[in-house]
Amino acid sequence: MLHPGTGMYDQIYETMLNVSVPERFNDHNLSLRLIVSQGKADDQERVKQVEDFLKCNKVAKRLVSKWFNRDKKDGAFDMQLVKDRGNYNATIEDVNLAMQSIRGKAILEDAGEQLINNTFVLVNDITYVDKHSKADGVKSVFQAISLVGNIMSAAQGNKTSGSGSSLQGVGQLGDAITSLVAGFTVRMKSHLFQLVWNDSIAGTFYSQYYYDKNTIDQDKKRAYLRDNKLFQLKYVGSYEATSSKTVLHGLKNNGDVFMKVLTRAIDENIVQLRKKFEIFKITAPLYEIASDGMIHIHIGLKEGVSSSSKYEVLERLVDDEGRITYHRKGVIRPVKGKIWDNRFMATEEGADGANLNFTSFEVVSGKDFYPGMLVREIK
């Protein structure tokens, strides 16, 4: 149950507005970020509530509008964001011209359909539990929406503190932080939704709704505004976990604690959702190959890397029709003791491995690897 107006609520609410999208994902956030939930509901009812909210607020349609840079005044679209996210140097003057050539069609299919179909909405249902409370422990419940952009392009291509009482350091945290912060944990259930985008939807969008600044079409504008059925979000699944004990070293105020707890809880749930659902897995580029044969990659504990992890190395190829495919070239695994701790505030915490800047991997199988190839975790 949400209790607006309480000191802790104000800090938590402000903190959630400032939680950043993980850097492995493109930031596709809309202006809508938070949902206040009143009353109790079981898991099935809560998912239904979220689905109804997303549908009522036309979140799927708003995502499509953002993908194609829709102008609110004249309703015109463009392909710039699609091109930027796909890392393409080719110029697409307009959709119709692109669809007339094999290469143009391939660009739209790869930089458009694949990227857009990998757009996700992550709804984090968060319960704050105060262990020092004499009540049932639940301080407040609300749901925070984070719009996670395309996975593949984000992996390839490529704080604020809250307003709590200012404290001088760990040695002076004392009773103030003990009573408000040190004793609580965060219980978070993350619900994952995916934007539905396929050939049929794309065909309808391009033929009936899409126009650019050079071809303003009022009929298409009105038709797009009226359509409340074409664009949908589908429920993928959920994962629930409770945050681990917070290390207070390096934290200067209550806002730092809230930001650390919330950010790490979200990151952990994203890791588990990626492990649970194949469609939500990300790839990361191979950064460099050292003189000793070690492979360096900018991923670490934040992405769930452990000494038992294994990753396939993928080579990006273009077929005769210009379509991009990925082929496994080998398998690598992290080197124990050389795993980067890139979790939020790990440096301030003084965590082991926080100063590495990358994780070192050794080759299990395969050869002829080179920087720029992609790696993806395998079971």
Side-chain angles (χ1 to χ4, degrees), residues 19-27 146 148 266-267 270 302:
V19 170
S20 300
V21 173
E23 63 270 15
R24 288 290 166 194
F25 301 99
N26 284 320
D27 186 347
S146 296
V148 181
I266 291 172
D267 288 343
I270 288 176
K302 181 176 180 178

Side-chain angles (χ1 to χ4, degrees), residues 25 118-122 148-149 151 192-194 236 269-283:
F25 301 99
N118 282 337
T119 303
F120 296 88
V121 174
L122 187 65
V148 181
I151 294 172
L192 186 64
F193 297 83
Q194 181 181 15
V236 178
N269 274 21
I270 288 176
V271 167
Q272 298 303 325
L273 285 169
R274 292 206 325 263
K275 292 177 180 293
K276 190 174 180 180
F277 303 107
E278 186 75 21
I279 189 63
F280 197 49
K281 284 188 175 181
I282 65 169
T283 59

Side-chain angles (χ1 to χ4, degrees), residues 74-133:
D74 58 28
F77 302 95
D78 67 55
M79 298 292 294
Q80 190 58 51
L81 183 59
V82 173
K83 290 191 295 180
D84 292 344
R85 292 279 173 88
N87 295 318
Y88 282 95
N89 295 319
T91 298
I92 304 175
E93 297 298 338
D94 57 64
V95 174
N96 292 331
L97 179 61
M99 294 295 286
Q100 292 174 11
S101 68
I102 293 177
R103 178 56 186 153
K105 187 173 186 296
I107 292 173
L108 288 180
E109 289 176 346
D110 190 64
E113 271 63 25
Q114 287 189 23
L115 302 189
I116 297 170
N117 189 54
N118 282 337
T119 303
F120 296 88
V121 174
L122 187 65
V123 180
N124 298 308
D125 188 347
I126 305 169
T127 305
Y128 298 92
V129 181
D130 186 351
K131 293 183 179 179
H132 295 285
S133 174

Side-chain angles (χ1 to χ4, degrees), residues 199-231:
D199 290 343
S200 176
I201 294 172
T204 300
F205 173 74
Y206 291 133
S207 64
Q208 298 183 23
Y209 304 138
Y210 186 97
Y211 61 89
D212 59 22
K213 292 285 186 180
N214 298 319
T215 58
I216 300 297
D217 190 319
Q218 294 299 326
D219 290 336
K220 287 187 175 181
K221 178 181 179 180
R222 286 189 290 269
Y224 183 74
L225 291 173
R226 287 195 302 265
D227 191 332
N228 294 319
K229 296 182 178 181
L230 182 63
F231 308 109

Side-chain angles (χ1 to χ4, degrees), residues 58-65 224-228 231:
K58 303 177 182 179
V59 171
K61 190 175 185 178
R62 292 167 72 175
L63 288 173
V64 172
S65 294
Y224 183 74
L225 291 173
R226 287 195 302 265
D227 191 332
N228 294 319
F231 308 109

Side-chain angles (χ1 to χ4, degrees), residues 355-369:
N355 62 341
L356 291 178
N357 296 321
F358 52 73
T359 295
S360 296
F361 292 77
E362 60 186 0
V363 177
V364 175
S365 63
K367 59 181 181 178
D368 298 329
F369 302 143

